[in-house]
Amino acid sequence: MTQPAAIDMADMTWPPPPYQAPVPPVTDEHGIRRYDGITYATTPGYRPRLLDVQVPPGEGPFPAVVWIHGGGWMDGDRRYPPPTVPAALLHGSVLGAGLALVSIDYRHSLEAPFPAQLHDVKAAIRYVRTFAGDLGIDPDRIGVWGESAGGHLAALAGLVGPDSADGEALEGAHGVGSGDTRVRAVVDWYGVSDLVALSAHPMPELPLPPGVEFPDPYVALLGAPVAERPDLAKAASPVTHATPGSNPPPFLLIHGREDGLVPYSQSELLAAALVEAEGEVTLQPVEAADHIFLGSPDVPRIVADSVAFLARHLAP
């Protein structure tokens, strides 16, 4: 009978740290190393925040892309892109370009209102940078990519820093607790950019099963209507942080022209703010596409363009 491994009591601390170090990866038949379900942050009373890492074959260290899922800040899962984007396409394109992929979960808005979601994204970036050597990642070449609610969080991750407005409060101190959270590039698919402007846009009717109610995502995110928390709504808006002197990283914004959930004008507002901030920004419309690029036949090209943008800006 196999005996359990001995525990070195001298290495134990109490309370334990609010994260767990990476365990050895599983390597698949293609040489891709996988670290699944790493706990990058814990907070008493909340589920542990998890991330998955996939590292391409080779010696590395590799640049990394942090993928942030959507779902109206109330739903979603690090493992699944939107239904219009097959996971095999997204993951395979990133790894095929020689980039590591870090997929993260974060607290949903009905668990904890903003800025909890941004705190978790920042904690994930700090974690990856802290354990970059164990993961085979280059800590100086990290980008972020998100869709919908995740696009909003990716934009904030690229624009908010310790020196930005409300920077200390928005950075948070979860997980590793401190460290550099800057990123080299941002891809934002149809994310919210200005919550105050968007509050005038009526939410479309969503087809739901009988008896199911879908809370207003903006009220859930802020914990109250925008009109009751204008300062928090402003702090949660990426346009607030794209200001002259903010030195934003390069941005790629891709948005469906016919998006009925998050209007295309939201990406136009962010693009204009980034230009005003003297940042590099590309705004790429997707003609005849609704939210999650529904109705577009060009999803493979959109993914390819996004990966090429990240590979270019994360190059040595």
Side-chain angles (χ1 to χ4, degrees):
M1 176 192 259
T2 302
Q3 296 297 317
I7 297 173
D8 188 347
M9 303 298 288
D11 291 337
M12 292 186 68
T13 60
W14 191 265
Y19 56 87
Q20 293 183 5
V23 298
V26 173
T27 304
D28 71 12
E29 67 274 19
H30 305 294
I32 295 169
R33 300 190 300 281
R34 297 183 59 99
Y35 303 79
D36 292 329
I38 299 174
T39 298
Y40 73 85
T42 60
T43 305
Y46 296 94
R47 61 192 167 101
R49 269 83 81 206
L50 306 180
L51 59 78
D52 300 334
V53 182
Q54 299 179 68
V55 184
E59 291 299 319
F62 297 95
V65 177
V66 176
W67 167 260
I68 311 172
H69 70 78
W73 306 285
M74 292 187 290
D75 198 4
D77 185 310
R78 69 187 187 278
R79 297 167 296 177
Y80 307 118
T84 48
V85 183
L89 172 64
L90 183 76
H91 297 182
S93 298
V94 171
L95 293 164
L99 308 174
L101 179 64
V102 181
S103 306
I104 70 169
D105 281 334
Y106 53 87
R107 282 171 291 175
H108 294 154
S109 57
L110 294 180
E111 294 178 271
F114 186 86
Q117 297 71 34
L118 181 57
H119 287 172
D120 291 349
V121 171
K122 291 286 190 173
I125 295 168
R126 282 193 294 266
Y127 183 95
V128 171
R129 192 159 270 134
T130 299
F131 289 101
D134 300 273
L135 298 169
I137 286 172
D138 185 338
D140 296 323
R141 294 190 287 158
I142 298 175
V144 288
W145 180 3
E147 60 95 18
S148 196
H152 162 260
L153 294 171
L156 285 174
L159 293 168
V160 169
D163 300 325
S164 60
D166 300 317
E168 185 175 348
L170 295 176
E171 282 278 310
H174 291 264
V176 172
S178 63
D180 185 8
T181 62
R182 289 174 296 177
V183 297
R184 288 267 296 266
V186 177
V187 175
D188 172 359
W189 282 0
Y190 45 85
V192 170
S193 299
D194 187 338
L195 272 77
V196 177
L198 194 60
S199 64
H201 177 74
M203 281 288 296
E205 292 290 334
L206 298 174
L208 297 171
V212 174
E213 294 184 4
F214 195 84
D216 184 300
Y218 309 112
V219 172
L221 180 67
L222 301 177
V226 170
E228 293 180 16
R229 295 196 174 170
D231 291 343
L232 186 60
K234 187 176 179 183
S237 298
V239 293
T240 300
H241 307 283
T243 56
S246 60
N247 192 29
F251 269 70
L252 173 62
L253 309 175
I254 308 184
H255 208 133
R257 286 274 196 191
E258 306 303 321
D259 195 323
L261 191 60
V262 178
Y264 177 75
S265 59
Q266 284 284 299
S267 284
E268 291 180 309
L269 289 170
L270 182 54
L274 289 165
V275 169
E276 185 70 19
E278 300 182 349
E280 177 186 336
V281 57
T282 301
L283 173 57
Q284 185 172 316
V286 183
E287 301 299 335
D290 201 338
H291 204 61
I292 66 170
F293 304 133
L294 200 63
S296 173
D298 294 331
V299 168
R301 177 185 59 82
I302 293 166
V303 171
D305 289 348
S306 302
V307 171
F309 173 87
L310 289 163
R312 183 167 70 253
H313 289 288
L314 297 179

